[in-house]
Amino acid sequence: IIMHRNLDELRLAISSVDEKLLTLLSERMELSVLVALYKKKHNLPIFDPKREEDMLLTYEQKVDFEI
């Protein structure tokens, strides 16, 4: 990220990221529906605590954010 951008440029960049996020979230929701349908068809539990824990740990390790 270039620190010499003006406020309008920064806001435009944020809007661009937001658009990408919305597209990805929409895709994720579609996939989540397919997972739910698969689990229903195969009589699998909707919630998998082990997977949830694994995913949260993985995401936590990937996040690198400091102010």
Side-chain angles (χ1 to χ4, degrees), residues 1 14 59-67:
I1 298 177
I14 288 172
Y59 297 150
E60 188 177 281
Q61 293 169 356
K62 289 182 180 184
V63 172
D64 182 27
F65 180 76
E66 292 182 30
I67 293 179

Side-chain angles (χ1 to χ4, degrees), residues 10-58:
L10 292 170
R11 287 180 172 162
L12 187 61
I14 288 172
S15 292
S16 175
V17 170
D18 288 347
E19 287 295 319
K20 293 172 187 172
L21 285 171
L22 289 171
T23 298
L24 289 170
L25 287 170
S26 178
E27 183 180 345
R28 189 185 193 290
M29 286 300 301
E30 290 175 14
L31 292 167
S32 295
V33 168
L34 294 175
V35 167
L37 292 171
Y38 180 93
K39 287 182 172 186
K40 183 177 181 179
K41 181 179 179 180
H42 294 88
N43 297 314
L44 296 171
I46 293 296
F47 182 64
D48 181 348
K50 177 68 172 129
R51 176 163 167 75
E52 181 87 6
E53 181 181 344
D54 291 345
M55 296 308 297
L56 288 174
L57 287 173
T58 298

